[in-house]
Amino acid sequence: VFKNKVSFTVHCSKGTYIRTLCKDIGEKLGCGAVMSKLERIRAGKFEIYNSVKLDELEKECNEPVCMLERAQYYMAIGNNADAKNCFLKALGMPMDDIQRIKLYENYAQYHFKVNDFQSASEYQLMAAQLEEKANGRTEKSANLMYTSAVYSFIGGLYPQAIDCYLKVIDFYSNIDSSVSLSNVTKCNKGIGNAYNAMKDYEKAKNYFQEVVAYYEANDMVDNEYPKAIMRLADAEKFNKEYDSSILHYQQAMKLFEEGNMMEDYGNAAS
């Protein structure tokens, strides 16, 4: 509030008339009011702080930061053709390692968005490898590698996914913390899923056993615990270890019922 002027922010749905809102507030206060200025700072997922002026898009762009910003803008508005064109131009420009890591990561996200999961995994892997080369094995390089593993799995590149997961495990295995154990467990789950997809059920079973052991030692109330038992039971079934498979299905079903996880219960029962 400054003298006879009031500035405020409104979060509203489409069809809201701010001019009318100002008038109604003035009437409620008994002093009257009119709108003197209006600035839209957000529309859906688009915000003013990362907006691009139209005349900026028409200017020549001969450096990677500018070209990447254009690519990100076109991605945000769903113009995949122009986004890809900007990414390809940026890839051919000289830049430092930090810029190139960011470019690879964003181009991976572009490929994931257009369902080219194999290309997404390759560029994400390039980002992880360059990060490790530039700065050594860090949490950032491990996170990049983990995302590459996920992209690889979705893209059906199962051996590559396993290799990426193992590299992440190698990093976190040298750090003694509960977060590290949790991250190793997520990787073990991913490796188990990859071996499962490759129909190597013996190896899948071994990694799923590691996941179950983690929850039994650390967090048996987590909803992921019965799901981990369920994955183990599936692997045992396909590996023709029927007795242990039945026992684990029964254990998972009991926990699903206790946790009111009825959809999961139905899947286990079937």
Side-chain angles (χ1 to χ4, degrees), residues 2 10 15 17 80 85 93 106 108 141 148 171 179 264:
F2 179 71
V10 178
Y17 291 91
N80 294 330
N85 186 45
M93 295 177 175
N106 277 267
S141 68
S148 178
F171 172 77
V179 174
D264 294 293

Side-chain angles (χ1 to χ4, degrees), residues 73-121:
Y73 168 76
Y74 285 127
M75 273 184 64
I77 65 173
N79 187 342
N80 294 330
D82 283 339
K84 182 177 183 179
N85 186 45
C86 289
F87 277 123
L88 291 174
K89 288 181 179 178
L91 286 169
M93 295 177 175
M95 66 189 79
D96 60 30
D97 287 342
I98 294 176
Q99 291 174 326
R100 191 162 293 279
I101 291 165
K102 185 176 181 181
L103 175 59
Y104 286 159
E105 188 175 8
N106 277 267
Y107 199 31
Q109 292 170 2
Y110 162 82
H111 283 296
F112 189 84
K113 181 181 179 182
V114 299
N115 298 325
D116 184 354
F117 303 119
Q118 293 191 0
S119 294
S121 69

Side-chain angles (χ1 to χ4, degrees), residues 223 226-227 230 234 249 252-270:
N223 285 343
K227 292 180 181 179
M230 174 79 167
D234 285 339
Y249 276 129
M253 288 170 64
K254 181 181 179 181
L255 291 170
F256 285 144
E257 188 173 20
E258 290 174 353
N260 199 30
M261 302 166 66
M262 302 317 295
E263 183 177 347
D264 294 293
Y265 178 89
N267 291 333
S270 62

Side-chain angles (χ1 to χ4, degrees), residues 2-270:
F2 179 71
K3 294 184 179 180
N4 63 342
K5 292 186 177 182
V6 177
S7 176
F8 60 94
T9 302
V10 178
H11 183 196
C12 60
S13 59
K14 62 181 180 180
T16 302
Y17 291 91
I18 306 301
R19 189 184 302 276
T20 302
L21 179 62
C22 293
K23 175 177 174 294
D24 291 344
I25 291 173
E27 290 179 355
K28 191 73 173 179
L29 294 174
C31 60
V34 296
M35 185 179 73
S36 61
K37 181 182 178 182
L38 176 65
E39 182 180 35
R40 176 171 290 182
I41 60 174
R42 181 177 181 179
K45 64 181 179 180
F46 304 109
E47 301 189 43
I48 195 168
Y49 77 88
N50 60 2
S51 62
V52 179
K53 294 182 179 179
L54 290 176
D55 59 344
E56 289 293 324
L57 293 175
E58 297 171 356
K59 292 180 180 179
E60 286 296 322
C61 181
N62 298 311
E63 53 90 23
V65 174
C66 167
M67 194 58 72
L68 177 56
E69 288 176 349
R70 289 191 180 185
Q72 291 172 323
Y73 168 76
Y74 285 127
M75 273 184 64
I77 65 173
N79 187 342
N80 294 330
D82 283 339
K84 182 177 183 179
N85 186 45
C86 289
F87 277 123
L88 291 174
K89 288 181 179 178
L91 286 169
M93 295 177 175
M95 66 189 79
D96 60 30
D97 287 342
I98 294 176
Q99 291 174 326
R100 191 162 293 279
I101 291 165
K102 185 176 181 181
L103 175 59
Y104 286 159
E105 188 175 8
N106 277 267
Y107 199 31
Q109 292 170 2
Y110 162 82
H111 283 296
F112 189 84
K113 181 181 179 182
V114 299
N115 298 325
D116 184 354
F117 303 119
Q118 293 191 0
S119 294
S121 69
E122 293 300 329
Y123 278 99
Q124 188 72 20
L125 181 58
M126 289 165 64
Q129 291 171 335
L130 185 55
E131 170 66 28
E132 184 174 331
K133 179 182 177 182
N135 301 307
R137 285 196 172 183
T138 62
E139 188 170 4
K140 181 179 179 180
S141 68
N143 289 337
L144 291 170
M145 190 66 72
Y146 179 83
T147 304
S148 178
V150 174
Y151 289 171
S152 298
F153 177 81
I154 296 173
L157 302 174
Y158 304 124
Q160 179 171 293
I162 291 169
D163 184 61
C164 291
Y165 280 128
L166 288 172
K167 288 177 179 176
V168 179
I169 288 175
D170 183 60
F171 172 77
Y172 282 110
S173 294
N174 295 315
I175 302 175
D176 185 17
S177 73
S178 59
V179 174
S180 297
L181 283 174
S182 176
N183 288 330
V184 168
T185 299
K186 288 194 297 183
C187 291
N188 282 332
K189 172 186 170 183
I191 295 173
N193 287 335
Y195 277 125
N196 211 37
M198 296 165 66
K199 299 184 179 181
D200 189 338
Y201 301 117
E202 178 68 25
K203 289 183 179 178
K205 180 194 72 174
N206 292 337
Y207 278 96
F208 289 146
Q209 285 175 335
E210 291 290 327
V211 177
V212 171
Y214 165 80
Y215 286 110
E216 288 178 341
N218 297 280
D219 197 356
M220 293 178 67
V221 298
D222 193 309
N223 285 343
E224 277 298 311
Y225 174 48
K227 292 180 181 179
I229 297 172
M230 174 79 167
R231 284 189 291 270
L232 175 58
D234 285 339
E236 289 170 333
K237 179 183 71 174
F238 289 119
N239 207 40
K240 299 182 180 180
E241 299 176 26
Y242 300 119
D243 290 342
S244 57
S245 175
I246 291 171
L247 290 174
H248 282 128
Y249 276 129
Q250 291 173 339
Q251 184 183 2
M253 288 170 64
K254 181 181 179 181
L255 291 170
F256 285 144
E257 188 173 20
E258 290 174 353
N260 199 30
M261 302 166 66
M262 302 317 295
E263 183 177 347
D264 294 293
Y265 178 89
N267 291 333
S270 62

